[in-house]
Every structure is written in C-alpha cells, then in structure tokens.
Amino acid sequence: MRKRRNSFSEQGTPIQRGTKEASPEKIASEREEQEWTRRIQSDLSRLEDESKFPVPLPDLPSLENWIIEQQQVLKRKLIRDLLLFWLFALLILSAIVSIAYRNPVFFLYLQAPVLLTGVIGFFLAGNRRKRVNRI
C-alpha cells in the first residue's frame, strides 16, 4: 500500500514545499538595489539643502518693472489684434454691401452657402459638446 504524504512533519510543523532559498544572484541584486536607493536618497537630500543651492529671489522693484513691461506688451498685442479684426470686418462688410446693391442675385447666391455652412457648423458643434459631456 502506498503511503500518503501529508503537509506536516513528525513534530507537527507545516512543511514548506516548492520554496527555494534565495539565490546568491538575487541577494546581490537586492543589495545593489538597496545601495542605489540609498545613494539616490542621499543625493536628493543634498539637492534639497537650500544652503548649497540658494534660490535667487528678484527684488521688488525689478519684479514690478517686469510686470509693467509685460502688461504693456499685452496691451500692444491687444490693440494690434483689435485693429486687424476691425479692418477685416470693415473689408468684409463693405464687400457685402457693394455686392448687395450692385448685383442682388449674386449676393443671394453667395449668402445661401454661407448661411447653410453656419447652420450646419452650429449643429455639429452642439453635437460634439453633448458627446463630450456624456463621456
């Protein structure tokens, strides 16, 4: 008759089956990993030390001057963009008015595709928003 194996030794302690002891390569790689972790942490702590790497803070007058300069640059860009907008708006409106008074049929042919494109674009943009909100 064949003897059954059980999971306990004669003293009643469980027997660990299939476990292997850590190989020397694994132990060496764990030690190397711990060494690298220790080195990185020590280097990071040195970088965080403000006495070795001080952060230069600008003085208040130079910071205020820089803010004023940036505001002036933004104001100039805004004025330029608004002037371009009004220039193109006047150009387009004058073209539409001149076409409408000189050749009303051509004006209607021009307005129909523009109107359809605007309406279709409006509905497509609304559908995109609904799909984005659902997600």
Side-chain angles (χ1 to χ4, degrees), residues 93-105 107:
L93 285 176
S94 63
I96 289 173
V97 168
S98 66
I99 290 173
Y101 283 122
R102 292 195 182 154
N103 194 353
V105 176
F107 177 73

Side-chain angles (χ1 to χ4, degrees), residues 29-45:
S29 69
E30 287 177 1
R31 284 184 186 157
E32 187 176 322
E33 184 178 333
Q34 289 173 352
E35 177 64 25
W36 276 104
T37 305
R38 187 192 59 77
R39 279 188 191 171
I40 289 173
Q41 287 175 345
S42 69
D43 289 344
L44 286 175
S45 66

Side-chain angles (χ1 to χ4, degrees), residues 33-123:
E33 184 178 333
Q34 289 173 352
E35 177 64 25
W36 276 104
T37 305
R38 187 192 59 77
R39 279 188 191 171
I40 289 173
Q41 287 175 345
S42 69
D43 289 344
L44 286 175
S45 66
R46 281 192 292 169
L47 283 175
E48 290 174 352
D49 186 15
E50 291 183 22
S51 63
K52 292 182 181 177
F53 300 102
V55 178
L57 296 175
D59 56 333
L60 186 61
S62 66
L63 188 61
E64 287 175 343
N65 287 336
W66 180 79
I67 291 172
I68 291 170
E69 289 172 7
Q70 291 302 313
Q71 286 176 340
Q72 290 172 351
V73 167
L74 288 175
K75 190 174 183 178
R76 277 186 249 130
K77 284 183 181 180
L78 176 67
I79 290 171
R80 184 197 69 205
D81 289 344
L82 286 174
L83 285 175
L84 284 173
F85 171 77
W86 284 108
L87 176 70
F88 283 110
L90 286 175
L91 179 69
I92 291 170
L93 285 176
S94 63
I96 289 173
V97 168
S98 66
I99 290 173
Y101 283 122
R102 292 195 182 154
N103 194 353
V105 176
F106 180 71
F107 177 73
L108 291 175
Y109 284 137
L110 181 67
Q111 285 299 310
V114 169
L115 181 64
L116 286 175
T117 304
V119 170
I120 290 170
F122 178 74
F123 284 117

Side-chain angles (χ1 to χ4, degrees), residues 8-26:
F8 294 95
S9 67
E10 293 176 5
Q11 290 84 16
T13 59
I15 298 174
Q16 296 287 334
R17 296 182 190 268
T19 59
K20 297 179 182 177
E21 290 185 24
S23 65
E25 295 88 18
K26 189 173 182 180

